[in-house]
Amino acid sequence: MRGAVLWMACLVLLGGCATLARRPPPPSTINHTEPVGYTSAVRLVTTDLTGYTEQAPQFLEGIRRAAAGRRVNILALSGGGSSGAFGAGALVGLTEAHARPRFELVTGVSAGAIIAPFAFLGPAWDARLKATIEDSRRHPPVGSLGWRFAQLILAPLGLFGHDRLSELIDRHITAAMLRAVAHATAGGRRLIIATTDLDSQETVLWDMGAIAAKGGRRALALFRKIVVASASVPGVFPPVLIPVHDGDRQYDELHVDGGVTTPIFIFPLVAGLRPQDLAPLRGADVYIIINGKLASPPDRTPINTVDVVSRSISAGITAATRSTVVESQAIARQMGMELRITQIPPGYPSSADFDFGTRHMRALFAYGERCAALGMLWMTPTQANMLNMEARPHEQLDPRRCPAGVGTLARRAR
């Protein structure tokens, strides 16, 4: 995660070289403004108790009905930049092992937001998922150092139009995908992607199926824009403006990477205040794919602004992800859910989050694919937490060893 935040520190040093012309944001943190052509029901601010109370019953009952008498299956995908190749490979490996559930609810953040539509649509879209990962390797969304500094200075002015990330999304999120997501949603299943509204500093959860159900160019454009926003790491990619309205009043919201405020999620934050609303999902099977490491070897920090800021932010993201896993475990116990987690083990010899090179991405994809195919992907929350807290978790790992087979403490916790 350290590479992902280095550019944030660089952006701080640049000090805001350009200003994006925009309308003011909505005046209220918890607002019911609407994207043009939609109702406020297509999204939820994760702290909006009133909105959650209104939307939750129909939303959750739909998921229960979609399971058709089976246990509900839920998948949550974290961010991780190029390390998203691990999660993509894991999904393909589960298909190969005939062990991939049909997920009634899929959530995604950042890199996980790019993978989430393919995960939601199931094994029939594995070839397209693989093509997306390969395309991101051939045409990295992060360009050269000089190109990226030009983007940092000029992209807010709109001089570049679609950047490389937008072009990648445009190629792989198609009208056919929109129709498929709409069809799956009609049966009650749900695909939810998170962005961060910088103006309100809140997490916004988008019901992508409700957007897809509108159909047409406007729906496809908004669908793509939300995925781009969710994956737009501040300082690496420009923020995304989303026009909204409240009657005759027009506003602009500025959205960036959902991982800024929530590294991974299953339910809105406000759900913790009303656990009784989650009753339709009692007994669900919950799967969490963390596209990254939750423990890293010690590394000497140079005493300079960039390194101190970037490592501080990285430490915060790692701690927030760990806390989310613990909180998810508590909710799962309360609701009788079975929680399974996978992650890149601490000792796996992976590179930085923005290393889109052939060797790194292909190796991580193959690693996730092989471990899933062998049935060695999933750990219990206790196993995962103990793995990250093991006395010697940082020895370089034999890449043949899978997450469920790593670490003495993890094995004892089975």
Side-chain angles (χ1 to χ4, degrees):
M1 295 181 183
R2 192 173 307 148
V5 297
L6 177 60
W7 288 104
M8 296 185 196
C10 291
L11 185 61
V12 171
L13 297 181
L14 284 175
C17 299
T19 300
L20 181 67
R22 54 164 297 186
R23 290 173 293 199
S28 173
T29 300
I30 304 299
N31 67 81
H32 294 281
T33 54
E34 304 169 351
V36 177
Y38 296 88
T39 70
S40 59
V42 300
R43 62 186 192 162
L44 177 73
V45 176
T46 194
T47 54
D48 182 0
L49 179 58
T50 300
Y52 173 75
T53 302
E54 293 172 352
Q55 296 179 31
Q58 182 178 357
F59 182 92
L60 298 174
E61 285 294 344
I63 293 173
R64 167 58 67 185
R65 288 195 303 272
R70 298 179 291 102
R71 290 167 66 98
V72 171
N73 291 308
I74 300 171
L75 172 67
L77 296 155
S78 84
S82 60
S83 296
F86 168 73
L91 289 166
V92 172
L94 289 171
T95 299
E96 294 169 356
H98 305 287
R100 181 164 165 181
R102 177 180 179 269
F103 297 110
E104 280 70 50
L105 172 62
V106 175
T107 72
V109 176
S110 198
I114 299 175
I115 301 169
F118 300 95
F120 180 70
L121 293 176
W125 287 74
D126 280 0
R128 294 174 177 86
L129 174 58
K130 293 173 72 172
T132 303
I133 297 299
E134 184 66 16
D135 193 11
S136 67
R137 182 196 62 77
R138 291 196 307 267
H139 305 285
V142 177
S144 66
L145 182 64
W147 180 88
R148 181 48 54 191
F149 266 105
Q151 280 286 81
L152 283 172
I153 297 171
L154 299 176
L157 295 176
L159 299 181
F160 279 84
H162 274 56
D163 63 10
R164 295 187 182 190
L165 175 61
S166 296
E167 291 168 358
L168 176 71
I169 298 306
D170 287 352
R171 283 193 296 270
H172 296 282
I173 293 184
T174 62
M177 171 178 279
L178 199 74
R179 291 191 294 270
V181 170
H183 178 75
T185 301
R189 298 171 62 216
R190 289 292 184 268
L191 169 63
I192 308 296
I193 286 176
T195 63
T196 297
D197 181 345
L198 281 183
D199 299 311
S200 66
Q201 300 186 37
E202 296 285 357
T203 305
V204 180
L205 307 182
W206 297 84
D207 187 337
M208 305 303 283
I211 294 170
K214 283 282 187 179
R217 293 181 180 178
R218 179 177 287 176
L220 181 59
L222 181 58
F223 195 106
R224 288 169 168 171
K225 181 177 285 191
I226 291 166
V227 175
V228 169
S230 184
S232 291
V233 177
V236 180
F237 301 107
V240 174
L241 275 176
I242 298 181
V244 297
H245 69 96
D246 180 6
D248 295 331
R249 291 167 294 182
Q250 304 291 321
Y251 307 101
D252 280 335
E253 295 175 348
L254 197 64
H255 288 254
V256 296
D257 188 348
V260 170
T261 49
T262 181
I264 194 167
F265 71 98
I266 302 169
F267 310 112
L269 179 63
V270 72
L273 300 177
R274 294 180 57 88
Q276 67 273 16
D277 292 340
L278 299 176
L281 303 187
R282 184 173 295 278
D285 288 321
V286 180
Y287 302 82
I288 296 178
I289 295 180
I290 298 171
N291 293 301
K293 300 178 181 181
L294 294 185
S296 299
D299 191 11
R300 179 178 176 270
T301 303
I303 304 177
N304 61 66
T305 302
V306 171
D307 284 290
V308 169
V309 171
S310 66
R311 287 181 66 86
S312 297
I313 296 173
S314 177
I317 292 172
T318 299
T321 305
R322 289 173 177 169
S323 295
T324 301
V325 170
V326 173
E327 292 165 5
S328 299
Q329 184 178 12
I331 293 177
R333 285 174 176 168
Q334 186 175 4
M335 300 306 300
M337 299 174 177
E338 185 168 349
L339 183 58
R340 301 172 178 87
I341 297 174
T342 191
Q343 66 182 73
I344 301 173
Y348 182 88
S350 61
S351 303
D353 292 346
F354 285 88
D355 178 3
F356 286 87
T358 301
R359 180 176 299 178
H360 169 62
M361 291 194 70
R362 283 186 172 170
L364 262 182
F365 185 96
Y367 178 70
E369 181 181 18
R370 184 179 64 82
C371 291
L374 291 173
M376 296 294 289
L377 187 67
W378 302 114
M379 296 178 284
T380 68
T382 300
Q383 290 169 349
N385 287 324
M386 294 184 74
L387 172 62
N388 296 321
M389 299 175 187
E390 201 167 3
R392 290 167 34 185
H394 308 307
E395 297 177 349
Q396 183 159 308
L397 173 71
D398 183 340
R400 293 172 297 181
R401 297 183 66 188
C402 296
V406 176
T408 55
L409 284 177
R411 286 196 295 273
R412 288 193 208 117
R414 288 180 185 173

PDB file of all heavy atoms in Angstrom, residues 265-281:
ATOM      1  N   PHE A 265     -15.760  -3.025   2.561  1.00  0.00           N
ATOM      2  CA  PHE A 265     -17.007  -2.942   3.309  1.00  0.00           C
ATOM      3  C   PHE A 265     -17.955  -4.061   2.914  1.00  0.00           C
ATOM      4  O   PHE A 265     -17.899  -4.601   1.806  1.00  0.00           O
ATOM      5  CB  PHE A 265     -17.696  -1.585   3.091  1.00  0.00           C
ATOM      6  CG  PHE A 265     -18.290  -1.420   1.708  1.00  0.00           C
ATOM      7  CD1 PHE A 265     -19.639  -1.638   1.485  1.00  0.00           C
ATOM      8  CD2 PHE A 265     -17.498  -1.053   0.638  1.00  0.00           C
ATOM      9  CE1 PHE A 265     -20.195  -1.494   0.217  1.00  0.00           C
ATOM     10  CE2 PHE A 265     -18.035  -0.896  -0.632  1.00  0.00           C
ATOM     11  CZ  PHE A 265     -19.391  -1.119  -0.839  1.00  0.00           C
ATOM     12  N   ILE A 266     -18.809  -4.416   3.848  1.00  0.00           N
ATOM     13  CA  ILE A 266     -19.899  -5.362   3.600  1.00  0.00           C
ATOM     14  C   ILE A 266     -21.231  -4.639   3.722  1.00  0.00           C
ATOM     15  O   ILE A 266     -22.103  -4.747   2.876  1.00  0.00           O
ATOM     16  CB  ILE A 266     -19.835  -6.542   4.593  1.00  0.00           C
ATOM     17  CG1 ILE A 266     -18.482  -7.253   4.493  1.00  0.00           C
ATOM     18  CG2 ILE A 266     -20.971  -7.532   4.332  1.00  0.00           C
ATOM     19  CD1 ILE A 266     -18.235  -8.254   5.603  1.00  0.00           C
ATOM     20  N   PHE A 267     -21.351  -3.851   4.806  1.00  0.00           N
ATOM     21  CA  PHE A 267     -22.574  -3.100   5.068  1.00  0.00           C
ATOM     22  C   PHE A 267     -22.235  -1.630   5.283  1.00  0.00           C
ATOM     23  O   PHE A 267     -21.082  -1.292   5.577  1.00  0.00           O
ATOM     24  CB  PHE A 267     -23.276  -3.645   6.322  1.00  0.00           C
ATOM     25  CG  PHE A 267     -23.460  -5.129   6.326  1.00  0.00           C
ATOM     26  CD1 PHE A 267     -22.767  -5.913   7.229  1.00  0.00           C
ATOM     27  CD2 PHE A 267     -24.314  -5.742   5.423  1.00  0.00           C
ATOM     28  CE1 PHE A 267     -22.912  -7.293   7.239  1.00  0.00           C
ATOM     29  CE2 PHE A 267     -24.473  -7.116   5.420  1.00  0.00           C
ATOM     30  CZ  PHE A 267     -23.775  -7.897   6.321  1.00  0.00           C
ATOM     31  N   PRO A 268     -23.207  -0.735   5.162  1.00  0.00           N
ATOM     32  CA  PRO A 268     -22.961   0.665   5.504  1.00  0.00           C
ATOM     33  C   PRO A 268     -22.547   0.794   6.967  1.00  0.00           C
ATOM     34  O   PRO A 268     -22.944  -0.012   7.810  1.00  0.00           O
ATOM     35  CB  PRO A 268     -24.316   1.344   5.257  1.00  0.00           C
ATOM     36  CG  PRO A 268     -25.067   0.417   4.367  1.00  0.00           C
ATOM     37  CD  PRO A 268     -24.587  -0.960   4.697  1.00  0.00           C
ATOM     38  N   LEU A 269     -21.771   1.814   7.260  1.00  0.00           N
ATOM     39  CA  LEU A 269     -21.323   2.040   8.630  1.00  0.00           C
ATOM     40  C   LEU A 269     -22.512   2.135   9.579  1.00  0.00           C
ATOM     41  O   LEU A 269     -22.482   1.606  10.701  1.00  0.00           O
ATOM     42  CB  LEU A 269     -20.504   3.335   8.691  1.00  0.00           C
ATOM     43  CG  LEU A 269     -19.963   3.741  10.059  1.00  0.00           C
ATOM     44  CD1 LEU A 269     -18.980   2.701  10.585  1.00  0.00           C
ATOM     45  CD2 LEU A 269     -19.289   5.105   9.969  1.00  0.00           C
ATOM     46  N   VAL A 270     -23.584   2.769   9.120  1.00  0.00           N
ATOM     47  CA  VAL A 270     -24.742   2.992   9.975  1.00  0.00           C
ATOM     48  C   VAL A 270     -25.451   1.690  10.349  1.00  0.00           C
ATOM     49  O   VAL A 270     -26.209   1.639  11.311  1.00  0.00           O
ATOM     50  CB  VAL A 270     -25.722   3.972   9.284  1.00  0.00           C
ATOM     51  CG1 VAL A 270     -26.435   3.300   8.120  1.00  0.00           C
ATOM     52  CG2 VAL A 270     -26.712   4.557  10.270  1.00  0.00           C
ATOM     53  N   ALA A 271     -25.195   0.608   9.609  1.00  0.00           N
ATOM     54  CA  ALA A 271     -25.842  -0.673   9.915  1.00  0.00           C
ATOM     55  C   ALA A 271     -25.477  -1.166  11.313  1.00  0.00           C
ATOM     56  O   ALA A 271     -26.239  -1.918  11.930  1.00  0.00           O
ATOM     57  CB  ALA A 271     -25.462  -1.720   8.872  1.00  0.00           C
ATOM     58  N   GLY A 272     -24.322  -0.736  11.814  1.00  0.00           N
ATOM     59  CA  GLY A 272     -23.930  -1.132  13.153  1.00  0.00           C
ATOM     60  C   GLY A 272     -24.854  -0.603  14.235  1.00  0.00           C
ATOM     61  O   GLY A 272     -24.918  -1.156  15.331  1.00  0.00           O
ATOM     62  N   LEU A 273     -25.599   0.470  13.906  1.00  0.00           N
ATOM     63  CA  LEU A 273     -26.546   1.032  14.868  1.00  0.00           C
ATOM     64  C   LEU A 273     -27.886   0.309  14.845  1.00  0.00           C
ATOM     65  O   LEU A 273     -28.673   0.427  15.782  1.00  0.00           O
ATOM     66  CB  LEU A 273     -26.770   2.523  14.566  1.00  0.00           C
ATOM     67  CG  LEU A 273     -25.540   3.432  14.634  1.00  0.00           C
ATOM     68  CD1 LEU A 273     -25.922   4.854  14.246  1.00  0.00           C
ATOM     69  CD2 LEU A 273     -24.928   3.395  16.031  1.00  0.00           C
ATOM     70  N   ARG A 274     -28.148  -0.418  13.759  1.00  0.00           N
ATOM     71  CA  ARG A 274     -29.434  -1.113  13.613  1.00  0.00           C
ATOM     72  C   ARG A 274     -29.195  -2.543  13.117  1.00  0.00           C
ATOM     73  O   ARG A 274     -29.625  -2.910  12.015  1.00  0.00           O
ATOM     74  CB  ARG A 274     -30.332  -0.354  12.632  1.00  0.00           C
ATOM     75  CG  ARG A 274     -30.770   1.021  13.123  1.00  0.00           C
ATOM     76  CD  ARG A 274     -31.663   1.702  12.097  1.00  0.00           C
ATOM     77  NE  ARG A 274     -32.838   0.891  11.780  1.00  0.00           N
ATOM     78  CZ  ARG A 274     -33.990   0.950  12.453  1.00  0.00           C
ATOM     79  NH1 ARG A 274     -34.111   1.771  13.480  1.00  0.00           N
ATOM     80  NH2 ARG A 274     -35.009   0.191  12.097  1.00  0.00           N
ATOM     81  N   PRO A 275     -28.486  -3.358  13.899  1.00  0.00           N
ATOM     82  CA  PRO A 275     -28.191  -4.722  13.445  1.00  0.00           C
ATOM     83  C   PRO A 275     -29.442  -5.553  13.197  1.00  0.00           C
ATOM     84  O   PRO A 275     -29.408  -6.506  12.417  1.00  0.00           O
ATOM     85  CB  PRO A 275     -27.343  -5.299  14.588  1.00  0.00           C
ATOM     86  CG  PRO A 275     -27.681  -4.449  15.777  1.00  0.00           C
ATOM     87  CD  PRO A 275     -27.947  -3.092  15.235  1.00  0.00           C
ATOM     88  N   GLN A 276     -30.554  -5.182  13.822  1.00  0.00           N
ATOM     89  CA  GLN A 276     -31.788  -5.938  13.610  1.00  0.00           C
ATOM     90  C   GLN A 276     -32.254  -5.880  12.156  1.00  0.00           C
ATOM     91  O   GLN A 276     -32.941  -6.786  11.677  1.00  0.00           O
ATOM     92  CB  GLN A 276     -32.905  -5.425  14.536  1.00  0.00           C
ATOM     93  CG  GLN A 276     -33.396  -4.009  14.250  1.00  0.00           C
ATOM     94  CD  GLN A 276     -32.573  -2.925  14.951  1.00  0.00           C
ATOM     95  OE1 GLN A 276     -31.467  -3.183  15.405  1.00  0.00           O
ATOM     96  NE2 GLN A 276     -33.143  -1.729  15.047  1.00  0.00           N
ATOM     97  N   ASP A 277     -31.866  -4.823  11.435  1.00  0.00           N
ATOM     98  CA  ASP A 277     -32.270  -4.701  10.035  1.00  0.00           C
ATOM     99  C   ASP A 277     -31.595  -5.750   9.154  1.00  0.00           C
ATOM    100  O   ASP A 277     -32.047  -6.033   8.046  1.00  0.00           O
ATOM    101  CB  ASP A 277     -31.944  -3.307   9.500  1.00  0.00           C
ATOM    102  CG  ASP A 277     -32.804  -2.227  10.134  1.00  0.00           C
ATOM    103  OD1 ASP A 277     -33.874  -2.577  10.686  1.00  0.00           O
ATOM    104  OD2 ASP A 277     -32.418  -1.048  10.086  1.00  0.00           O
ATOM    105  N   LEU A 278     -30.498  -6.323   9.655  1.00  0.00           N
ATOM    106  CA  LEU A 278     -29.744  -7.298   8.867  1.00  0.00           C
ATOM    107  C   LEU A 278     -30.319  -8.706   8.987  1.00  0.00           C
ATOM    108  O   LEU A 278     -29.752  -9.652   8.431  1.00  0.00           O
ATOM    109  CB  LEU A 278     -28.280  -7.313   9.307  1.00  0.00           C
ATOM    110  CG  LEU A 278     -27.507  -5.995   9.133  1.00  0.00           C
ATOM    111  CD1 LEU A 278     -26.098  -6.127   9.698  1.00  0.00           C
ATOM    112  CD2 LEU A 278     -27.453  -5.583   7.668  1.00  0.00           C
ATOM    113  N   ALA A 279     -31.434  -8.860   9.658  1.00  0.00           N
ATOM    114  CA  ALA A 279     -32.020 -10.180   9.887  1.00  0.00           C
ATOM    115  C   ALA A 279     -32.188 -11.002   8.601  1.00  0.00           C
ATOM    116  O   ALA A 279     -31.963 -12.226   8.622  1.00  0.00           O
ATOM    117  CB  ALA A 279     -33.359 -10.044  10.616  1.00  0.00           C
ATOM    118  N   PRO A 280     -32.581 -10.409   7.459  1.00  0.00           N
ATOM    119  CA  PRO A 280     -32.719 -11.223   6.238  1.00  0.00           C
ATOM    120  C   PRO A 280     -31.410 -11.891   5.802  1.00  0.00           C
ATOM    121  O   PRO A 280     -31.445 -12.868   5.043  1.00  0.00           O
ATOM    122  CB  PRO A 280     -33.191 -10.208   5.196  1.00  0.00           C
ATOM    123  CG  PRO A 280     -33.869  -9.147   5.975  1.00  0.00           C
ATOM    124  CD  PRO A 280     -33.074  -9.037   7.241  1.00  0.00           C
ATOM    125  N   LEU A 281     -30.285 -11.381   6.272  1.00  0.00           N
ATOM    126  CA  LEU A 281     -28.999 -11.952   5.878  1.00  0.00           C
ATOM    127  C   LEU A 281     -28.415 -12.869   6.953  1.00  0.00           C
ATOM    128  O   LEU A 281     -27.267 -13.304   6.836  1.00  0.00           O
ATOM    129  CB  LEU A 281     -28.001 -10.829   5.569  1.00  0.00           C
ATOM    130  CG  LEU A 281     -28.425  -9.824   4.489  1.00  0.00           C
ATOM    131  CD1 LEU A 281     -27.273  -8.885   4.169  1.00  0.00           C
ATOM    132  CD2 LEU A 281     -28.900 -10.539   3.230  1.00  0.00           C
TER     133      LEU A 281
END
